[in-house]
Amino acid sequence: MDKSKPPLWTKDFILITLTSFFISVMYFLLLTTITPYVIEKFNATESKAGLASSIYVLGILLSRLFVGKYLEVSVVKNFFILVYL
């Protein structure tokens, strides 16, 4: 009955959590600055600046889908190539 659980707060868990947090903060900060930047630098209307922000968000979402799958395949492929050399 006495099953010991592995600790949650390991070094790897903390590093992965902090990395994920900072990446999310970076995307959020960039997203909130795109609209004013587009309005100021390109003299765009608010609706066009909002469209630019929306395209940025869609690009992030789609790239995560494809890049994640590509990294998974390419890392495994490169690992096997390295092992067989």
Side-chain angles (χ1 to χ4, degrees):
M1 234 35 210
D2 185 29
K3 294 182 181 178
S4 63
K5 295 181 181 177
L8 175 64
W9 295 97
T10 62
K11 179 182 174 186
D12 290 338
F13 176 77
I14 293 170
L15 286 174
I16 290 170
T17 303
L18 286 175
T19 302
S20 179
F21 172 75
F22 286 123
I23 288 173
S24 298
V25 167
M26 180 194 66
Y27 284 134
F28 178 73
L29 290 175
L30 188 56
L31 177 64
T32 58
T33 57
I34 284 177
T35 305
Y37 179 79
V38 170
I39 290 172
E40 181 183 328
K41 294 293 182 181
F42 299 111
N43 295 324
T45 63
E46 288 182 4
S47 61
K48 289 182 181 179
L51 178 64
S53 295
S54 300
I55 291 171
Y56 172 73
V57 170
L58 289 174
I60 289 173
L61 292 174
L62 291 175
S63 67
R64 284 186 178 188
L65 290 173
F66 295 114
V67 169
K69 189 167 185 95
Y70 173 74
L71 284 176
E72 182 179 321
V73 170
S74 68
V75 168
V76 171
K77 182 180 174 184
N78 289 339
F79 175 74
F80 283 126
I81 290 173
L82 181 66
V83 168
Y84 288 122
L85 289 179

